[in-house]
Amino acid sequence: MKNIKLKASLIAIVMAFALSCDKEFLNTKPLDKISSAATWADGPLSEAFIFNVYSFLGYGGFEEQALAAYTDEAMFTHAGRNINTFTEGTESPNNLAWESDTYRWGTMYLAIRQANVALENLPKATFNNATLKEKLIGEAYFLRAYYYQQLLRFYGGVPLISKPYGLDEDYSAPRNTYDECVKFITSDLDNAIKMLDGKATTPGRASKLAAMALKARVLLYAASDLHDGPTVKAKSSLLAGYSNLDLIAYPSGDRAARWNAAKAAAKAVLDAGVGYKMNLSGPVSADEGKNNYMSIALGGQSAVGDPSAATELILQRTHTALYTQEDNWPLGGIHYGINNGPNGYHNWAGNTPIQNLVDDYEMMDGSKFDWSNKEHKEAPYDNRDPRFYATVLYDGAPWKPRPSDVAAIDPANQIQTGYYDDGNGGKINGVDTRESAVENWNGSRTHYYTRKFIDPNPALADNQSSAQVIPWPFIRYTEMALSYAEACIETGDEAEATKWINKIRFRAGMPAVSDKGTALRDRLRNERRIELVYEEHRYHDARRWMIPATTVGRGIKSINVDARLKPGAKAPKTYKYDKSVYNYVYTVEDNTSNETRKWTDKMYYRALSRDEVKRNTKLVQNPGHAQ
């Protein structure tokens, strides 16, 4: 009996302990998750939540495939990436072309939902740092506005969702008008400006100035041709016949007021910002102009160039060379050099400049380049706008030291995208061509490579053992100067527009302009094309000006470089660009080996996927895309 009583007591104790443990088990918190209440009760955790909202910015424009390949800036070298689906005009709701997550419909709405969660919870957050709370609210407003701005640029009016949906709610929502979207975005930015006023700024994070600048961009777009109903009706039968015109434009209204609003917003940014070398009274030298532009593109983050050029950046995507998740495929950001550099450096030649872009760089005296001009044709890379040399790698351009296994082929470290007389009736294929002995499958199809944004520091080999930390410029001061100049032209203030255009040109080493009327507008548009190249502006600029039929619609041009030995000259053992030895013959060619291009007006806006329209039956498809 004694043993039975002892066992019974032990069982009771074990059961009591078990019940106690059971209650504690039920009350435990998951170790890999943080509750909502805990997040909004803690300043650093709330800040970490906002960092997650920033994460939807991705690499900025430093992805392997660039938006430039959808424009008359670049051609993407590698087939099979679904870029041609768009450039050939065959995109449909059932067959979407390549999209970046930086503007993809579903991804942007995920980002917006996260911003909405923050905006719902931060005002009632219980942590004590009021300054941090206000800053985070301001950043959330900015980010929601930025992501809606991305949707608006690519799709026109979209459903405006200002709260996070819960379970069992009706998730379908109609598209708002273009006007309503602009008002919503600018209201968010006004809130961001208020909340971020006086707050400390950090590179890569939203600031009052960034919110002011994004507002100026949105207002500039709103004043442009593509969003003015009467202009749309005059220029496009497809868009004019769209039954929901208010989704993509203002059917009527005071366009002059819209231009004045854009003008005032851009000027406010110019007055509040600094910019880089925008106070010059005359053009700098060609070498300094090239260095200035290179320094801006490097964002002050290279051992080469002027670090003070970082003052140009208003909002950027910062990068680090530390090993992080972004090193995984697909490569982006820190590996921009690998993605786009020459194959003779073991790079991948991704988004190569096309001849159409090269031809739009002016001569040093401000005149247009012209293939019918004998001097221009014989030496097309001489005496060009200094920004050309900081942007494009062309045949004979000096570049970084070759990798050790290639150095013997090119000890001169010059880009080789041509074909050179070997003196025996044959040709030497340039080491950076698709006929190269070095990874020819990664050779450019246009015979150019991009230089802009690739760190020229010779210590960085542009391969996967090294990484660059050049920031992506979401918004920079010169964009605002160009936007202000454009708005000045459209409001009749040509003298003020000319002043700001010349500020930009002087920094680049280019002479002043004195054009008037349509010629000044054309000059401004080309200046914007050259200054902001590869910064994801051309795609939108061509559309809002309603000129894409004459930009991407021109197709792709490339160059063929044929170096012929001069009479009596002897081919060197190792090829080197040398005008005293070779006569160089340059021939512009149509390039359809990778893709053909055509323009149809349905390409003004991206198609909504069939699945998305099925999920939200209140959605209306964009013009030209079957419902």
Side-chain angles (χ1 to χ4, degrees):
M1 287 294 295
K2 190 174 183 180
N3 286 338
I4 292 173
K5 288 181 179 178
L6 180 59
K7 289 179 179 178
S9 298
L10 288 172
I11 290 170
I13 292 171
V14 170
M15 288 182 68
F17 179 75
L19 288 172
S20 173
C21 288
D22 216 29
K23 291 177 182 177
E24 290 179 9
F25 172 76
L26 292 173
N27 291 329
T28 56
K29 299 174 182 178
L31 299 178
D32 62 341
K33 296 179 176 64
I34 300 171
S35 71
S36 176
T39 297
W40 309 115
D42 183 86
L45 289 178
S46 295
E47 190 168 33
F49 187 94
I50 293 297
F51 289 163
N52 180 60
V53 187
Y54 274 102
S55 71
F56 290 91
L57 294 172
Y59 302 127
F62 287 154
E63 298 181 299
E64 185 183 1
Q65 292 162 216
L67 188 61
Y70 276 166
T71 75
D72 58 348
E73 292 178 336
M75 176 185 194
F76 192 70
T77 295
H78 312 296
R81 302 298 183 88
N82 211 23
I83 287 177
N84 64 304
T85 302
F86 186 77
T87 55
E88 292 171 1
T90 60
E91 183 178 56
S92 72
N94 291 323
N95 183 30
L96 296 184
W98 168 75
E99 296 174 299
S100 165
D101 274 339
T102 61
Y103 59 80
R104 190 191 306 271
W105 181 278
T107 307
M108 291 298 92
Y109 274 108
L110 284 175
I112 288 164
R113 185 186 188 282
Q114 295 296 87
N116 283 337
V117 169
L119 289 169
E120 182 178 77
N121 287 281
L122 278 170
K124 53 190 179 186
T126 57
F127 63 87
N128 294 324
N129 190 333
T131 299
L132 176 62
K133 182 188 293 187
E134 194 169 72
K135 178 177 172 63
L136 295 180
I137 293 172
E139 290 183 76
Y141 272 122
F142 175 87
L143 289 167
R144 185 169 72 175
Y146 182 85
Y147 296 132
Y148 267 125
Q149 173 254 180
Q150 286 291 81
L151 287 169
L152 187 64
R153 292 204 289 180
F154 284 93
Y155 297 98
V158 297
L160 294 173
I161 311 300
S162 58
K163 67 170 188 175
Y165 281 118
L167 295 174
D168 300 323
E169 291 192 54
D170 180 7
Y171 305 131
S172 61
R175 296 174 67 168
N176 288 79
T177 67
Y178 186 85
D179 181 31
E180 289 169 341
C181 290
V182 169
K183 287 176 178 174
F184 185 92
I185 293 169
T186 54
S187 176
D188 269 5
L189 292 170
D190 285 339
N191 285 327
I193 290 166
K194 178 182 177 182
M195 295 288 186
L196 296 172
D197 187 25
K199 304 299 189 295
T201 60
T202 304
R205 294 180 67 175
S207 64
K208 176 184 177 181
L209 188 63
M212 293 170 62
L214 184 58
K215 180 179 178 180
R217 177 192 289 175
V218 170
L219 292 175
L220 180 81
Y221 280 45
S224 299
D225 285 358
L226 183 60
H227 305 299
D228 179 65
T231 305
V232 167
K233 290 179 179 179
K235 290 191 174 184
S236 170
S237 58
L238 174 63
L239 301 185
Y242 185 43
S243 59
N244 300 89
L245 184 62
D246 61 353
L247 294 183
I248 59 175
Y250 297 91
S252 60
D254 188 351
R255 190 180 184 193
R258 295 198 291 272
W259 274 120
N260 279 313
K263 178 180 178 181
K267 186 60 163 62
V269 178
L270 297 180
D271 291 342
V274 179
Y276 178 65
K277 294 188 178 182
M278 292 287 279
N279 59 350
L280 302 173
S281 58
V284 299
S285 68
D287 285 344
E288 186 176 349
K290 173 186 174 182
N291 191 65
N292 287 343
Y293 191 71
M294 178 190 71
S295 297
I296 290 170
L298 299 177
Q301 297 301 311
S302 170
V304 179
D306 183 359
S308 69
T311 60
E312 172 78 11
L313 298 172
I314 293 176
L315 179 70
Q316 70 263 47
R317 193 338 183 150
T318 57
H319 292 100
T320 172
L322 297 175
Y323 186 85
T324 65
Q325 187 176 2
E326 75 178 18
D327 283 336
N328 293 335
W329 184 275
L331 299 177
I334 60 176
H335 293 304
Y336 187 82
I338 300 173
N339 289 338
N340 296 286
N343 61 303
Y345 289 82
H346 300 301
N347 299 155
W348 300 347
N351 304 277
T352 58
I354 62 177
Q355 189 65 44
N356 315 53
L357 170 65
V358 172
D359 288 350
D360 282 346
Y361 282 88
E362 296 174 3
M363 304 301 293
M364 272 298 299
D365 62 2
S367 62
K368 291 183 178 181
F369 174 84
D370 186 357
W371 281 105
S372 64
N373 181 307
K374 185 175 182 292
E375 291 183 3
H376 294 182
K377 185 175 183 178
E378 290 179 350
Y381 309 131
D382 290 356
N383 302 314
R384 303 295 289 273
D385 182 328
R387 289 171 290 190
F388 167 73
Y389 304 105
T391 302
V392 179
L393 292 173
Y394 54 92
D395 185 67
W399 194 224
K400 297 197 279 188
R402 294 279 182 180
S404 58
D405 62 327
V406 186
I409 303 174
D410 175 32
N413 303 319
Q414 296 172 335
I415 298 301
Q416 295 184 9
T417 56
Y419 306 94
Y420 320 115
D421 193 338
D422 66 2
N424 296 310
K427 290 288 184 183
I428 300 170
N429 298 326
V431 72
D432 302 306
T433 64
R434 292 188 67 80
E435 295 77 22
S436 168
V438 181
E439 299 174 14
N440 55 14
W441 61 90
N442 283 330
S444 169
R445 297 176 188 271
T446 66
H447 299 279
Y448 294 109
Y449 293 91
T450 180
R451 186 189 196 279
K452 183 176 179 177
F453 293 133
I454 298 180
D455 193 334
N457 181 359
L460 292 179
D462 289 342
N463 57 42
Q464 295 183 39
S465 64
S466 62
Q468 63 177 46
V469 294
I470 308 307
W472 169 259
F474 287 111
I475 311 174
R476 64 182 177 96
Y477 189 84
T478 304
E479 178 196 341
M480 295 294 105
L482 288 162
S483 296
Y484 176 62
E486 182 176 344
C488 285
I489 291 171
E490 301 302 336
T491 55
D493 194 354
E494 291 191 350
E496 183 74 354
T498 301
K499 181 179 80 172
W500 281 91
I501 293 171
N502 287 336
K503 284 175 179 283
I504 299 165
R505 290 173 66 84
F506 289 165
R507 181 182 64 193
M510 292 296 288
V513 299
S514 57
D515 306 281
K516 304 292 182 184
T518 301
L520 180 61
R521 179 185 287 113
D522 290 343
R523 180 81 72 162
L524 177 280
R525 290 181 176 184
N526 196 66
E527 193 69 23
R528 190 172 171 103
R529 168 160 168 69
I530 296 305
E531 178 68 26
L532 301 180
V533 67
Y534 275 73
E535 296 181 33
E536 296 198 332
H537 291 281
R538 184 64 170 176
Y539 178 96
H540 301 290
D541 285 345
R543 282 162 175 74
R544 67 185 182 84
W545 294 330
M546 299 192 75
I547 62 167
T550 60
T551 60
V552 68
R554 291 184 293 171
I556 297 173
K557 303 288 186 182
S558 62
I559 195 75
N560 183 73
V561 182
D562 181 16
R564 304 169 184 176
L565 281 171
K566 290 186 173 182
K570 183 178 180 181
K573 292 182 178 180
T574 304
Y575 171 76
K576 177 183 177 182
Y577 178 82
D578 190 341
K579 284 186 174 182
S580 68
V581 176
Y582 295 94
N583 286 317
Y584 291 88
V585 179
Y586 302 91
T587 307
V588 176
E589 300 175 339
D590 287 322
N591 191 327
T592 58
S593 61
N594 197 36
E595 62 178 280
T596 56
R597 291 186 174 184
K598 60 181 292 187
W599 173 260
T600 64
D601 280 0
K602 72 176 183 178
M603 295 165 65
Y604 274 111
Y605 294 98
R606 298 303 301 265
L608 302 176
S609 75
R610 184 75 66 196
D611 289 343
E612 192 65 47
V613 175
K614 286 180 179 178
R615 276 193 294 268
N616 183 359
T617 57
K618 296 179 182 178
L619 280 181
V620 177
Q621 189 59 260
N622 277 321
H625 298 288
Q627 187 69 29

